[in-house]
Amino acid sequence: MLVKAILLGLVGVLGNLDSRFLGRTNLEQPLVMGAFVGLVLGDLTKGLIVGASLELVFMGMANIGAAAPPDLVLGSVIATSFAILSHTNAQTALTIALPVAILGQMIGIVLRMFMSTFNRWAAADIDAGKFAKARRLHILWGLLLNVSMYFILIFLSIYFGTGVVKVVVKAIPTWLTNALTLASKILPAFGFALLMQTMLTKKTVVYLLIGFFITAYGNLSVIAVAIFAVLLVLVLNEILPKKNVATTTEQNDDDLEEL
Amino acid sequence: MLVKAILLGLVGVLGNLDSRFLGRTNLEQPLVMGAFVGLVLGDLTKGLIVGASLELVFMGMANIGAAAPPDLVLGSVIATSFAILSHTNAQTALTIALPVAILGQMIGIVLRMFMSTFNRWAAADIDAGKFAKARRLHILWGLLLNVSMYFILIFLSIYFGTGVVKVVVKAIPTWLTNALTLASKILPAFGFALLMQTMLTKKTVVYLLIGFFITAYGNLSVIAVAIFAVLLVLVLNEILPKKNVATTTEQNDDDLEEL
Amino acid sequence: MLVKAILLGLVGVLGNLDSRFLGRTNLEQPLVMGAFVGLVLGDLTKGLIVGASLELVFMGMANIGAAAPPDLVLGSVIATSFAILSHTNAQTALTIALPVAILGQMIGIVLRMFMSTFNRWAAADIDAGKFAKARRLHILWGLLLNVSMYFILIFLSIYFGTGVVKVVVKAIPTWLTNALTLASKILPAFGFALLMQTMLTKKTVVYLLIGFFITAYGNLSVIAVAIFAVLLVLVLNEILPKKNVATTTEQNDDDLEEL
Amino acid sequence: MQTWTVPTLNKRQSRKRYWSFFWRSYAIQASWNYEGQMNLGFLYGIAPVIDRIYGDGTPASLEAKKDAYRRHLAFYNCTPQTSSFVLGVASSMEEEYARNPTSFDPNSINAVKSSLMGPLSGVGDSFFQGTIKVLAFGLGVNFARKGSILGPILAVLISFVPAFLVTYYGGKLGYTAGNKFLTKLTKAGIMDRAMYLVTIVGLMVIGSMIASMIGITTPIHMGKAFSLQKTLDTIFPQMIPLAFTFVMYWLLQKKVTTGWILVICIVSGLVLSPLGIFK
Amino acid sequence: MQTWTVPTLNKRQSRKRYWSFFWRSYAIQASWNYEGQMNLGFLYGIAPVIDRIYGDGTPASLEAKKDAYRRHLAFYNCTPQTSSFVLGVASSMEEEYARNPTSFDPNSINAVKSSLMGPLSGVGDSFFQGTIKVLAFGLGVNFARKGSILGPILAVLISFVPAFLVTYYGGKLGYTAGNKFLTKLTKAGIMDRAMYLVTIVGLMVIGSMIASMIGITTPIHMGKAFSLQKTLDTIFPQMIPLAFTFVMYWLLQKKVTTGWILVICIVSGLVLSPLGIFK
Amino acid sequence: MQTWTVPTLNKRQSRKRYWSFFWRSYAIQASWNYEGQMNLGFLYGIAPVIDRIYGDGTPASLEAKKDAYRRHLAFYNCTPQTSSFVLGVASSMEEEYARNPTSFDPNSINAVKSSLMGPLSGVGDSFFQGTIKVLAFGLGVNFARKGSILGPILAVLISFVPAFLVTYYGGKLGYTAGNKFLTKLTKAGIMDRAMYLVTIVGLMVIGSMIASMIGITTPIHMGKAFSLQKTLDTIFPQMIPLAFTFVMYWLLQKKVTTGWILVICIVSGLVLSPLGIFK
Ligand SMILES: OC[C@H]1O[C@H](O)[C@@H](O)[C@@H](O)[C@@H]1O
Ligand SMILES: OC[C@H]1O[C@H](O)[C@@H](O)[C@@H](O)[C@@H]1O
Ligand SMILES: OC[C@H]1O[C@H](O)[C@@H](O)[C@@H](O)[C@@H]1O
């Protein structure tokens, strides 16, 4: 079991690396994960079949922006393993795998929240001129954290059985889940603020608000706003008095604070 | 009964004054009216309970703009009185009070229509330099008319019973109700026209229409249009040729008529 | 039967001429067609009654833009004729007439597609200075083609019975119908491109796109866009630097190709 | 043109003025009428300010005062509690105008009022009637049901406090911020431009109000097949309210007296509704 | 560049011209075709005006006349009854252009036609087909059902009268108002600017028509999970009609003859539909 | 200000750079975090370009290099496969800035990144996850069900090919087109203007993202009668996300260190959610 647990952990690592290191070539999809699990557990056919069933269920799901759905890689690796090991079908196995997927989702949120501190460390490294160290935060530590989480979770679930995971998941109170979710929504607001800082002036804040209100009132997508922004700018280019602009660069520090 | 009718009339007057003189501190709400009626009729508890039931029904209702819903103050004063006097519950009492509320609504419309003539009188007074007289139209006669209407209606309903009111309400033909409603919609159009008169020029009519069409086609609220108007103006401020504007003030009288 | 078939054909021609030559005075409506058919077949009353029933069904239908609904004129002429000749009622007759209406719709699409070639011929005639010939394409050949189609279709249906028509309609495969419909949608795209050619420059393409995206994203009608376009232009008129424009005319040939 | 010196208020006078804004906002609905809605109330509210400016009794002052009074007869409608803010702003503008009657366009005062009244009503109504009232009376009902007199008392108190704060400090804020902003504009020499831009906002808001606050429609139809209102809507929605407004405007341009127009309005209602033309 | 003198019309000639607008609007659909829709009809309608302007037979006139004829081969589609108004306006522009060929951009004539045809179709179709027709035939049916020949007669009469008025006076109005407005613009020396602005309106309307009047979609899908059209719509709706239009435009820029493009259009339809790529 | 000479890349060097864009886009999510999302990944991606520019070891270079590194700590989030395009464009801008540090506003680099990331995510996600993935695995599932190992292999291959093409050539295109365009702008002397306009687009897109990608709401309500969120929505939707963003912005302006703000964010979440204030 130890070897199997390690190997399955490595399959999960591969699935995780797919989106973290391999440009999302869809190795993380249930069909592929299922095949690998099948290979590892010596029942490729079942692995393929279970993977295919799970794939049909999750094919329509997409990772967009910062949303954190139940973890698919964990779900499908564990589900396929259990289907093969305990001779059940895909759907039953998935129900058993669900706690792991949920636990993964929660830990993932905490992890990505924690990695926000990397920004501080990176800034400090840059100030100190330690550029390589700053880069390593991303390519070494970021990867390592992600990968370990997957390995450990799968390893433990397989080695000790999902019963333990279930107990852990039950122990997490709902208010904490909700609180983490809220925190993970507040953080992007901070990200946007950081971004705005480099561009916002008394004069340009109006455009930020135009973009905001078009989407807020008109429900237009970001793409739509981008298209209209480009069209607006083309019209403005024709209209704006030539002088008016030259001074912008210097004005950049008279930012909103004075308001 | 005479005393009670007078006292209840005064309660209604207080309810009316709430929105006419006391800045809408919500004395007019059924709960408060009910309490006062209870006090007057010597059964505070019942007054509170009936008031509370009515409050729950009407709490969500808001007075917005020129709309004229059935009259709440009349409705709750009469309903609570009848509930106490004839030992019924709130809902039954409300059904009995409904004719009064409707009559009140109708008379209210006529009253507010009639008070439109105050504008003429005020204008005449101002022309004649009788400023105090103009002010009194508002603070004396306006109040008096409102208050009397409430007093009389409640007094009569209590003194003669709601039977009489019912007969009167039935005597009002539907076409008249509808006609009054239409008239009360046309009058604001006149108000807007008066307001536009001070601002509209050949050059600025386009902005009136922009505001109109944004709401007409896009269903955006007045707040939304105001926000976009401010944003537009901030952009225009950057763009508008400096000269262009100086002449506006003088042009103000070349209004739309020439078109 | 020959005479009747010819006369009915002429009634159909009149119906067709209504929209092609007589400014759509609504002679083409089922009620009027029915009356004429009744006159021709000697049973005016029945013609009126059948026409009236059909009218009620189709009154709400409008011809807007390039859409090609089942052919109403053919449908009502044939339906009324059959109702009178075979003593059935309007609805039954309509079902029998439907194949003709569909055949008419299909032939109509092909015809209007074919008449697109007139544009080439007209261009050639104009190049050659044969102006009258170009004009005749419209007023002579256009009319003639339209009119013949109606005459022939009705004549044949009446003379040989609708059985033949049914066979023909069944022989047209669905893919062809669909293909023709698609082709008839592509052609207006070409028309718009031709139209744009006279106006589009690098500088003005932005306005084409603004109009497009307002309708695409906001679902606003062409009228709405036209209104906003006029309002926009009035604002631009106030804003645009005076010089900026003078050079437009000459620039017209630096069109989009360079992009 | 003559200018007036408007002495600034000392502390006591300021406080008196803010209280005046407060009370007169409270009473602003006393003569609510369909034509001007709260216009007389607004006039009543700003009257002390005007009287103070043009109080020297000279003929020039008298004329200017009449103009100012007339100005505030214009349509006005806004949540009472937020009206004191508008009173404050308009007062600062009146004073500025008195100081610089040549460079200041008095029409912009009404433009500012119009720009403010729409949004402040939206925010004000939903705050006081949509939020505070529901909270206060939601609580109150719970007490009252058990027969406790605390119910209505608490409800009124909870209603009163935020209303008091918004009304009193709103007036103060409007007046002082108005003053400050106007001084800034004058110094920058961009008063003309600012007034023009303010007019634009005002007109856009009025346009939007025409589209959303009149709501006249036509019931004309023929069976189910045809409804005139639907047909009009395919051209543009709210066409009838716009038409009515422009007809009124046109009557005003034709110098028809407002009294007559008032009669026309009411009579139209009484005639066009029974005829089934509008509703 | 040569200019032409366009003698103004006397009363009789004017009346003749308006009748010509009237009849030729009536016949404007005689050669309705998918590519240009009512373009040949419009050319036929404006031909007398062009012939009169460039009728002196000189080579310069001939060339100008050819250009004018070619100009009106552009796409045109509008409710027939309101087309006479467009004919009127376009005629006044043609005359203006003949008088000032240097300062007047002839492309603006088509821009004006484009700006007008969209809205006038919307209003025209809903008026004539949505309102008048339903009223007329709603009445007519009632008579006809009782067997009365009055039914169709009344219906046609009621249809005819407003159509006649709009068509005849529309043409007159278009021509005279066009003339007046153009003279004003020329005098003010802002013709260039006006034409530029008119082009903007025209292009915006064309853009809107591309988005609303072509309607090609793709049926490509995979089970229920994936529909290409839905995916495209999340980027922007009506992408395919826009693409088709720009492909056509690009072909035109590449100097592909219109005959070939016509063939391409029809063949594409016949190929892409059975392949299940577009519908 | 000092300028740097950025020697152009020879063919081999170019190819190496494009491969670097490719691989580093692939790894761009390695340290995905809530605050900056893919910012560290982007920094990692552009680092070689920066290192090459400021590689001479002088103190001035060191400072400039630090600034450049810091710049790319800004929020960034985009579909990985389309990120290489953004890397390409940003790289060309970095080089341009190094050449003309006086006339080029480095903030516009982040403005461009912001303008691109929104739309490229929309298009990218729907292409790769909405279209390609569904097609590839739709096919793959059919094979796999029959037990064929071809299923996952085919699915991955089909997923890989378009991703490879878009990522590799996207980076190349971004870099070369960026270079070309920037040279053109510099020559035309309109760099300032262009950067200003780019900032406008960037800010509008950020505004739109604030309204659509944060999504904090309040669960406060009283029975069915009152929901605070609904009331806020009548004023304007997405008010809370806007407020949060501006509070963060204000903290930054007050020079609160980002570490503290990070703590504030997380603690707020942990406190405000259980209190039932936001969700
Ligand atoms: O939406 C863009 C981008 O956002 C996040 O970074 C992830 O969810 C990616 O999968 C996605 O492509
Ligand atoms: O909508 C603003 C305002 O309009 C009217 O004046 C009344 O209905 C008030 O209750 C309301 O606050
Ligand atoms: O929509 C305008 C116009 O389009 C086409 O030419 C026809 O369908 C007409 O009936 C219609 O009036």
Side-chain angles (χ1 to χ4, degrees), chain C residues 24 63-67, chain E residues 29 32 37-38 77-81 117 121-122 124-125 129:
Chain C
R24 222 170 35 191
N63 282 313
I64 291 173
Chain E
Q29 300 206 78
W32 203 103
Q37 306 206 346
M38 297 170 167
N77 187 46
C78 189
T79 305
Q81 293 94 332
M117 68 194 187
S121 289
D125 286 348
Q129 301 193 64

Side-chain angles (χ1 to χ4, degrees), chain D residues 236 241 269:
Chain D
F236 64 86

